[in-house]
Structures are given as structure tokens and as C-alpha cells.
Amino acid sequence: MTETTSREIGEKIAGLDRLVTSLGLEFDDVAVNAVAGVPDAARKAAEINQRLERLGVDRRILSRALGRAHEAEAAAHEAKAEAARQDHLEAAKSHANGLLAAATRIDAAIAEFAAALPELSEHELAIRQHLGRAAFPVSGSVVGQMGLSVMAIDKLHRLADGRARLSGAGKSIAEIAASAWAILLADKDEQGSV
């Protein structure tokens, strides 16, 4: 059995009110006739009055049903809203777990990154020192021959603040280093292929 909605009950009350108004007008006409002594007018007035009393009881019943329907609909609406809130809370918890997993991976990557940065600087300095001692001229104007650590940090900043999405990821730090020191790495590649 489906429950009657507050709207349906409201429509029944409105229809009943229209009927009561119509019967009230009819009662007024019949009552005037009864006072004037028109035959059967008093009997008809009594019938209309009985009907109006029954309709008054019906209206009280419908009014109470309307109140209960409003309460049931409000409770159903709140239950639906609570279920939606719980769904969002569960989704937020899931995202919090995902965030923690990503943060853990970031921490591991930062530790690896922090360990590699001094190595970059150390190898850059050693390359320049050895090339100087070998009397091999290095101008320093080639991108990546100095400051790879700063470039690596800048790349992270660009990823974090969204600039990398706008301009593209660009070359990797390894690609920049390989390009900057291609002359030294070419000898290694040639030796490996022999």
C-alpha cells in the first residue's frame, strides 16, 4: 500500500473546502426558505447540516493525515540527506587515504631527490675541475653545464604550481644533462659500442 502524499491530501482538503463552501451557500438558501415556510425546506436544511457536520469530521481527519504526511516526508527527506552526507563523508575518507598514500610516495621521492641533489652539484663541480685541469675549455653558457640542482628544484615548482601543465613538462633533467655534456658522454658511448 503506497502512502498518500501531503500534496494529494492537500488536494483532497481543497476539494472538500470547495464542497463545504458550496453546501454552505445551498444551506443558506434552504434555511431562508425554511423560515419562509416552504415545504420540505426544513428537512432539506437538516440534511445539508448533517452532511456539513460529516464533512467537518472528514476535514479534521484529513488535516491530521496532512500533518502526519508532512512529518513522514520531512523524515524521508532528512534520511535521504543524511545518506548523501554519509556518502560524501565516505568519499572524503577514501580521498584522505589516497592523499596519505600519495604523500608517503612524495616523502620517499623527496628523500631520494634530497640525496641526489648534492650528487648533481658534486659531479658538476668535479667535471668542471677536471676539464680545467685537462685544459679543456668550458664556457658555462651551455644550459645544464651549471645549476642542474636549481633546474631540478624549479621543475618541481613548475609541477606543483601548475605552470608545467600550461607550458608542457619540457626536457627531463637527465635530457638536459645529456645535452650539456654530450661531448663527454659521446666518448663513453663510442667506447661502449667498440
Side-chain angles (χ1 to χ4, degrees):
M1 178 176 157
T2 59
E3 284 190 30
T4 307
T5 66
S6 62
R7 180 177 181 179
E8 292 168 333
I9 295 170
E11 289 170 357
K12 287 180 182 183
I13 289 173
L16 189 110
D17 287 345
R18 286 189 299 274
L19 180 58
V20 166
T21 300
S22 173
L23 286 173
L25 293 172
E26 187 179 343
F27 178 81
D28 292 343
D29 291 342
V30 172
V32 168
N33 291 337
V35 171
V38 173
D40 287 337
R43 182 188 55 77
K44 185 156 175 116
E47 288 173 0
I48 293 172
N49 190 48
Q50 270 186 336
R51 192 164 178 207
L52 285 170
E53 286 175 2
R54 280 194 312 269
L55 290 174
V57 171
D58 289 348
R59 185 156 196 325
R60 283 193 297 277
I61 292 169
L62 286 172
S63 292
R64 287 188 176 187
L66 180 62
R68 287 191 302 273
H70 279 305
E71 289 171 4
E73 288 166 358
H77 178 74
E78 180 54 32
K80 186 176 179 181
E82 179 59 25
R85 285 191 291 270
Q86 287 301 316
D87 287 346
H88 287 297
L89 183 60
E90 290 304 314
K93 286 178 182 179
S94 175
H95 285 292
N97 286 325
L99 179 112
L100 183 58
T104 301
R105 288 194 337 266
I106 292 285
D107 285 341
I110 287 172
E112 185 69 28
F113 188 80
L117 280 177
E119 289 180 39
L120 277 178
S121 298
E122 180 183 309
H123 288 300
E124 274 182 355
L125 178 62
I127 290 169
R128 295 182 73 71
Q129 286 174 341
H130 286 291
L131 288 177
R133 290 181 189 133
F136 190 90
V138 178
S139 69
S141 64
V142 177
V143 173
Q145 287 187 348
M146 291 181 61
L148 274 178
S149 296
V150 174
M151 287 180 193
I153 292 169
D154 183 59
K155 188 169 187 70
L156 283 180
H157 283 183
R158 292 172 55 76
L159 287 169
D161 67 17
R163 287 181 290 157
R165 284 191 304 267
L166 298 174
S167 61
K171 288 185 176 181
S172 70
I173 299 303
E175 289 171 331
I176 294 170
S179 175
W181 298 111
I183 192 159
L184 298 175
L185 297 171
D187 290 343
K188 178 183 172 193
D189 290 341
E190 288 172 9
Q191 291 171 1
S193 63
V194 174

